[in-house]
Amino acid sequence: LATAMTTAGCKEMIDISKLTVTGYLNTGDLEYLHDNLGAYLETLDLSDVTMEDNKIASWTLSGCAFKTVELPANLIRIERYAFPRSEMTSITIPESVTELGDRVLQDCYSLVSITVGDKLPGIPERLAEGCDNLEEVTLGKRVSAIDRAAFRGTKIKHVYCYAKMPPVWNREEPSFYDGINPNAVLHVYSNRVEQYQNAYGWKDFPTIVGDLGVCPSVELTVNVTEMGTFSEALATAITKS
């Protein structure tokens, strides 16, 4: 990427407002993009990129000016501090992502919405801490836990939670550390409202509505490999279903 962009010349690089990249990139390429275009780009489309090791490394896209970013569709891992203080207004974590580091979106002050794909098992600590304009969060169906202060300092108005059972909150430093917006609405499956109304943390939402349809039923096979571990095996099976 560095060679390709250098041949374009500095003036043309600065005039770029939208950049679509296809093909193959590594961490060094993203670092070069960050250093040379990060302050100018409004839109970055990496949806057709294959990243080396299928990851975005720490700090590689921090503090960038882009308002919109499309991440690689086959991405598996986003490391901690990948995007802090960037100016994006929304972000969708691809369905392929199974590992998300802490503080990935910390202090992204322009961020309004976050959508998390269905393969991510949990929300890491301080994911969007300090995103004080964040209004909407959509959680995928396999999210089973939300770590400490994940949304500290936010004023979220709407949470759309597709998890079959209420994700567990961190009790030492609650996920919404500064308290829940008094006007916040939690959207869940119609046949899961009662579970959320009785679950730690979730029950504090002032309004819980069952407007996501009916939670689909599934047929489960539970593989219990050791005596006395049925509950853990069942939880694993539910998470993977």
Side-chain angles (χ1 to χ4, degrees):
L1 180 63
T3 301
M5 291 175 62
T6 300
T7 59
C10 183
K11 181 179 184 301
E12 286 76 14
M13 288 168 60
I14 292 176
D15 289 340
I16 298 171
S17 60
K18 178 179 180 179
L19 179 66
T20 300
V21 184
T22 62
Y24 301 88
L25 296 180
N26 61 20
T27 297
D29 292 326
L30 289 189
E31 290 173 345
Y32 184 87
L33 188 154
H34 171 277
D35 294 343
N36 290 276
L37 286 175
Y40 308 105
L41 281 180
E42 295 179 7
T43 301
L44 176 62
D45 186 350
L46 302 176
S47 57
D48 287 329
V49 163
T50 297
M51 287 298 304
E52 183 179 34
D53 298 326
N54 293 316
K55 74 174 185 180
I56 291 181
S58 301
W59 299 109
T60 47
L61 292 175
S62 63
C64 289
F66 45 71
K67 305 296 183 184
T68 303
V69 58
E70 297 287 339
L71 298 178
N74 62 351
L75 201 63
I76 294 175
R77 185 166 79 254
I78 303 176
E79 296 184 348
R80 65 197 310 253
Y81 293 112
F83 304 107
R85 299 187 302 280
S86 292
E87 297 180 18
M88 67 185 78
T89 57
S90 65
I91 187 169
T92 296
I93 307 299
E95 294 289 328
S96 55
V97 172
T98 58
E99 300 177 42
L100 190 62
D102 61 88
R103 296 172 170 85
V104 164
L105 300 167
Q106 191 175 47
D107 295 333
C108 290
Y109 303 118
S110 299
L111 192 62
V112 176
S113 69
I114 300 171
T115 299
V116 173
D118 282 335
K119 289 188 178 180
L120 195 70
I123 303 300
E125 66 174 278
R126 306 183 192 281
L127 171 68
E129 182 182 40
C131 298
D132 50 13
N133 285 304
L134 185 62
E135 296 184 357
E136 183 176 302
V137 173
T138 300
L139 302 177
K141 65 182 182 181
R142 288 187 176 149
V143 172
S144 61
I146 302 179
D147 213 336
R148 60 181 185 174
F151 301 106
R152 180 179 183 177
T154 66
K155 302 172 184 176
I156 296 174
K157 296 179 181 178
H158 295 275
V159 176
Y160 298 85
C161 190
Y162 288 88
K164 298 183 179 85
M165 299 301 294
V168 176
W169 284 31
N170 184 289
R171 289 177 178 264
E172 296 180 3
E173 200 169 353
S175 308
F176 295 83
Y177 184 81
D178 299 326
I180 295 171
N181 186 331
N183 298 314
V185 180
L186 173 61
H187 305 260
V188 300
Y189 289 118
S190 59
N191 54 337
R192 292 293 184 267
V193 171
E194 184 176 354
Q195 285 91 330
Y196 280 86
Q197 289 174 334
N198 293 313
Y200 175 80
W202 298 109
K203 64 183 179 182
D204 297 328
F205 271 78
T207 304
I208 302 176
V209 295
D211 58 354
L212 300 185
V214 177
C215 180
S217 60
V218 296
E219 295 183 3
L220 281 182
T221 298
V222 181
N223 180 28
V224 185
T225 57
E226 297 181 16
M227 294 290 184
T229 62
F230 173 73
S231 61
E232 292 87 348
L234 176 62
T236 300
I238 291 174
T239 300
K240 291 181 177 180
S241 66

